[in-house]
Amino acid sequence: MLSSWMRPPAFSTAVRCLCVRAFGREDALPRRSGGRVRDFQEIPHTGSNGWINLLRFWKDGRFSLLHKHMENTFRRLGPIYREHLGSQSSVNIMLPMDIGELFRSEGLHPRRMTLQPWATHRETRRHSKGVFLKNGTEWRADRLLLNREVMVASAVRRFLPLLDDVAQDFCHSLRHRVETEGVGETGQRSMTLDPSPDLFRFALEASCHVLYGERIGLFSSSPSEESERFIWAVERMLATTPPLLYLPPRLLLRLRAPLWTQHATAWDHIFSHAETRIQRGYQRLQTPVGGASDGRFQGVLGQLMEAGQLSLELIKANITELMAGGVDTTAVPLQFALFELGRNPDVQERVRAQVLSSWEKASGNPQKALQGAPLLKGTVKETLRLYPVGITVQRYPIRDIVLQNYHVPAGTLVQVCLYPLGRSREVFDRPERFDPSRWSAESATPDAASGGSFRSLAFGFGSRQCVGRRIAENEMQLLLMHILRNFRLTVSSTEELNTKYTLILQPESPPRITFTTRSL
């Protein structure tokens, strides 16, 4: 992309018009002064004193509404602004043209903001760090080894049947429950429920099956206390992370602050659960029946141990990170997806028709079934456009760049704000509409000036994108496929869901969904 001072006048005029339409007034936009790139300090900001800003955040309860704060700040200050919160400072952007410029300056070893509370926990407990918390050449070496087991096409083919088994078992269990406890005629029994506890169990069961190669029986009438404690620990860890990002963790550790104690205790539970599963997997792999010689897929843990290129400590660190990041981050988007399908019956029927046709042609092959139903992938992308799990993607550019005609020095933390991006009228046509078909090849005609492909970033971008992306995408698509085969979905209210931020975006109150059985 041309630097802003090299763009032809017609292009600059077009971008100015684009931004005026987006933000409603021209005085919020950066102005040129004889073609001069404006200084970093001239970028609009929310206040120069980070500690005062942090106190205001706490006082106003803005941590739980950070996504709304970002959206409102862009409306007030324009398409770029600076934010100081406690010890953190960032430049925040939302337009695809700026996002593209940022990613082109990320370098061979892209860096994102380190979650210092997580890193401090690893250091104080003497745990190794996985790729999520690493940077530089060490990160790249480990990440390339992990990609072979979780990202490449051959890896997906290995674990897809395991995900499909769990998705089908979930739907069989739910169907049995609706048929025995629901109301209505045989064949069209209905039951209204909050599916979130079941979705959390599904996500944990699926993650364990793929990562450890074993089922843990969470669809039984009495799931284990160990697994319930793990789900609680992940939720507690996520909830305590945001306020800790802006304070010195080691100071809180020395002061034995309750917030830090809660956070560290939650991580201890997560590591304890993972350690137990890893030890079981290791013992199973040492026996002739469970070894790799029988040709069965032994899970990502088994693949990494068999390859022998990562130490056992690094395998533990990365498996634990994948487990911690693989439950809420799929269970919560599934809540949103079921809600949107329920309140958009026409969309639901279009997706279902494609699913049923593809399933029949695929003869039970899950990979072929997904390939023949692109609206499933569109449903996941559309859900994450409106409700991104993580609300920012961060990078530290390795060279000076120009964003919105402002100079941004190398090494500055720049955050791409996904919630306002996904709801921008200048980036998406009728953004309030839930429309999975907008992502199909025929209708995806993004304007080059608007940044083209930098519109769907829920899993990040490039070599530093989410390492569990392929697991999560397929897990969600397979469950939605089998739910649509088994049930019709309705909701009692079509009002917008209120949302809150606790390191991930989630409903303020889980939506209740009515599941009505349909003939298979």
Side-chain angles (χ1 to χ4, degrees):
M1 183 171 124
L2 292 172
S3 297
S4 58
W5 62 83
M6 296 172 63
R7 295 181 189 128
F11 183 83
S12 299
T13 302
V15 170
R16 177 165 292 277
C17 291
L18 175 76
C19 293
V20 170
R21 291 200 305 273
F23 299 101
R25 67 187 210 279
E26 190 165 354
D27 61 3
L29 303 176
R31 294 182 178 275
R32 291 177 181 271
S33 176
R36 177 180 67 90
V37 173
R38 301 183 70 168
D39 188 72
F40 177 78
Q41 298 300 326
E42 296 180 74
I43 298 175
H45 59 81
T46 58
S48 57
N49 190 311
W51 298 108
I52 291 176
N53 292 343
L54 185 63
L55 288 173
R56 286 176 181 156
F57 252 69
W58 261 316
K59 180 182 176 184
D60 299 341
R62 270 185 269 174
F63 278 117
S64 63
L65 294 172
L66 186 58
H67 55 301
K68 293 288 188 181
H69 163 78
M70 290 173 171
E71 187 176 44
N72 293 333
T73 305
F74 281 119
R75 286 180 183 148
R76 182 166 57 90
L77 297 180
I80 184 172
Y81 70 92
R82 287 187 292 136
E83 183 103 83
H84 305 279
L85 283 177
S87 57
Q88 294 281 358
S89 295
S90 67
V91 170
N92 291 357
I93 59 175
M94 60 155 283
L95 291 180
M97 56 183 289
D98 296 325
I99 298 168
E101 184 70 16
L102 173 66
F103 286 144
R104 281 186 281 274
S105 68
E106 67 178 10
L108 183 63
H109 305 122
R111 285 179 59 220
R112 58 188 177 197
M113 185 175 71
T114 298
L115 295 182
Q116 197 55 52
W118 297 17
T120 299
H121 174 268
R122 305 301 189 274
E123 291 158 8
T124 56
R125 297 297 197 266
R126 299 184 184 277
H127 291 311
S128 295
K129 294 176 183 175
V131 293
F132 193 88
L133 294 172
K134 285 184 175 180
N135 287 300
T137 55
E138 188 181 21
W139 160 80
R140 185 171 177 80
D142 291 358
R143 177 61 194 254
L144 290 174
L145 293 174
L146 282 176
N147 284 351
R148 297 176 193 172
E149 309 305 337
V150 295
M151 290 291 285
V152 300
S154 58
V156 174
R157 285 194 296 272
R158 285 194 296 267
F159 64 66
L160 203 64
L162 279 66
L163 293 176
D164 191 56
D165 286 346
V166 179
Q168 292 207 51
D169 286 354
F170 175 92
C171 287
H172 291 157
S173 174
L174 180 58
R175 188 179 182 102
H176 176 74
R177 182 178 171 192
V178 174
E179 287 175 342
T180 55
E181 300 177 29
V183 298
E185 300 176 5
T186 302
Q188 290 189 335
R189 304 280 284 176
S190 293
M191 187 174 183
T192 301
L193 56 98
D194 165 15
S196 60
D198 299 303
L199 293 173
F200 281 111
R201 293 188 191 106
F202 161 75
L204 180 54
E205 184 83 14
S207 292
C208 283
H209 201 19
V210 169
L211 295 178
Y212 305 133
E214 69 171 357
R215 297 290 297 269
I216 56 176
L218 286 178
F219 302 152
S220 66
S221 57
S222 54
S224 71
E225 183 180 332
E226 174 200 13
S227 298
E228 294 294 307
R229 190 165 58 248
F230 177 82
I231 293 172
W232 168 85
V234 170
E235 292 176 341
R236 191 77 236 137
M237 176 273 291
L238 293 172
T240 53
T241 297
L244 289 171
L245 291 175
Y246 309 102
L247 296 167
R250 288 191 176 274
L251 175 61
L252 298 178
L253 173 64
R254 283 197 292 271
L255 295 174
R256 298 182 181 178
L259 184 65
W260 169 256
T261 302
Q262 292 174 35
H263 183 76
T265 301
W267 267 120
D268 290 343
H269 278 304
I270 292 168
F271 268 84
S272 175
H273 179 275
E275 176 71 23
T276 299
R277 295 289 163 192
I278 289 168
Q279 286 298 331
R280 288 179 191 170
Y282 181 76
Q283 290 167 9
R284 191 175 66 251
L285 288 165
Q286 302 310 302
T287 66
V289 175
S293 58
D294 62 5
R296 291 182 298 140
F297 178 58
Q298 298 296 315
V300 174
L301 173 65
Q303 295 290 121
L304 290 171
M305 286 182 170
E306 193 177 312
Q309 294 181 289
L310 282 175
S311 70
L312 185 58
E313 284 304 309
L314 287 178
I315 291 174
K316 288 180 181 178
N318 284 291
I319 290 289
T320 303
E321 285 183 5
L322 283 165
M323 277 299 301
V327 178
D328 293 55
T329 52
T330 51
V332 171
L334 283 167
Q335 292 179 50
F336 286 124
L338 294 177
F339 169 76
E340 288 292 349
L341 289 169
R343 76 167 181 161
N344 292 279
D346 292 345
V347 173
Q348 183 183 155
E349 288 308 316
R350 285 199 301 274
V351 180
R352 178 181 290 107
Q354 194 178 79
V355 161
L356 294 177
S357 173
S358 181
W359 180 254
E360 185 177 357
K361 294 174 183 175
S363 302
N365 183 313
Q367 187 168 25
K368 289 182 179 178
L370 293 185
Q371 289 170 347
L375 284 178
L376 279 172
K377 187 171 186 177
T379 298
V380 171
K381 291 182 76 170
E382 190 71 343
T383 300
L384 293 173
R385 173 182 71 83
L386 290 168
Y387 311 101
V389 180
I391 61 173
T392 64
V393 176
Q394 316 94 27
R395 290 293 187 271
Y396 295 84
I398 62 169
R399 57 176 173 80
D400 290 9
I401 56 176
V402 175
L403 301 174
Q404 289 296 316
N405 205 39
Y406 289 106
H407 173 247
V408 177
T412 301
L413 173 61
V414 182
Q415 297 196 106
V416 177
C417 301
L418 301 184
Y419 187 85
L421 163 67
R423 293 167 181 259
S424 168
R425 293 185 180 278
E426 294 308 316
V427 181
F428 295 98
D429 179 45
R430 296 179 64 186
E432 73 286 351
R433 181 178 61 176
F434 185 78
D435 180 14
S437 66
R438 77 169 76 239
W439 300 102
S440 65
E442 310 85 65
S443 61
T445 54
D447 183 313
S450 69
S453 61
F454 298 107
R455 305 188 309 155
S456 179
L457 296 167
F459 291 103
F461 173 80
S463 61
R464 191 108 209 199
Q465 66 184 290
C466 172
V467 70
R469 175 177 187 162
R470 301 300 177 215
I471 298 173
E473 284 178 329
N474 287 287
E475 187 178 323
M476 288 189 278
Q477 290 179 59
L478 286 166
L479 185 65
L480 291 173
M481 177 175 72
H482 292 301
I483 284 178
L484 290 172
R485 289 179 57 237
N486 280 271
F487 305 99
R488 282 191 169 83
L489 310 170
T490 52
V491 292
S492 59
S493 172
T494 58
E495 294 296 312
E496 287 284 335
L497 284 177
N498 291 324
T499 51
K500 63 181 180 181
Y501 174 70
T502 58
L503 197 64
I504 65 171
L505 190 68
Q506 55 187 306
E508 211 169 69
S509 298
R512 292 178 66 79
I513 311 291
T514 298
F515 294 83
T516 302
T517 59
R518 57 179 306 279
S519 299
L520 290 172

